[in-house]
Amino acid sequence: MTAPIRCVLRINLKREHTFWGAGVANLLHHIEKKHSLRAAAQEMKMSYSKSWKIIHEAERELGFQLIESVKGGSQGGGSYLTPQAKTILQAYDNMTDELGIVMQKLFIKHMGYLEKGKI
Amino acid sequence: MTAPIRCVLRINLKREHTFWGAGVANLLHHIEKKHSLRAAAQEMKMSYSKSWKIIHEAERELGFQLIESVKGGSQGGGSYLTPQAKTILQAYDNMTDELGIVMQKLFIKHMGYLEKGKI
């Protein structure tokens, strides 16, 4: 059976160039879970150097740090999201969710006929 | 002066794979103006074979033709959008415009603080 036509949304942030999108957001979510940039990169099948570059470029454009490294300590070291990273990640996720709902309505309004085979 | 942070939207259509987005829409707009797939491809700095492939894949997934070729005739031959192509292109543009307006509001609501330097 053929898969139905779906509408997919991508929201990016840019200044001169795009520095934030679903990829950075996913990477940050993985860092939050794994407390490790290396493990997060592996999880996304991305090289460590690429993941580092992506985070670093987003930090430069945003003007604040997204991750901070803790060395050693009783619970072991690792990478953690800064409060600012948690704030923007939550804002991006909320925005994506809310816009996704609106998009589905608009998709049915404007392109609902596609699935009915009537055009 | 640093450019402000902007929010950019991309809407794609997919079944198994993405077959429609801003690129196909742009290509169709250029074909509408130029009445030529080759000229439209040039306008977008895209190879003729790539533009043909993009259109052909979208046609296959949608199940209808997007462009039709007219040979010769009093006004000369060329490529024209089918009525179905005009309908979906208009629907996509309307959807993109409407969603863009909602996105800007959500961007200010969720990420307005970014431009104020307060985080």
Side-chain angles (χ1 to χ4, degrees), chain A residues 4-97:
Chain A
I5 294 178
R6 287 178 301 130
C7 197
V8 181
L9 178 72
R10 286 198 164 269
I11 304 173
N12 295 321
L13 300 181
K14 66 186 290 185
R15 280 194 202 270
E16 297 295 338
H17 306 287
T18 299
F19 65 85
W20 180 287
V24 185
N26 262 336
L27 190 57
L28 290 175
H29 278 300
H30 283 298
I31 294 168
E32 202 168 22
K33 271 186 221 155
K34 301 272 182 183
H35 299 153
S36 157
L37 178 56
R38 193 173 296 276
Q42 275 175 356
E43 201 72 22
M44 291 183 68
K45 300 187 198 316
M46 188 188 282
S47 71
Y48 176 72
S49 63
K50 190 179 174 190
S51 69
W52 189 88
K53 199 179 156 205
I54 283 174
I55 296 286
H56 192 68
E57 281 182 4
E59 286 179 330
R60 196 186 53 211
E61 295 295 346
L62 287 166
F64 53 79
Q65 263 190 279
L66 289 169
I67 58 175
E68 53 193 355
S69 296
V70 176
K71 280 182 185 157
S74 60
Q75 302 191 0
S79 292
Y80 295 84
L81 302 196
T82 61
Q84 292 97 324
K86 288 181 186 174
T87 302
I88 190 172
L89 189 57
Q90 188 65 61
Y92 179 77
D93 288 345
N94 289 344
M95 204 172 133
T96 304
D97 289 348

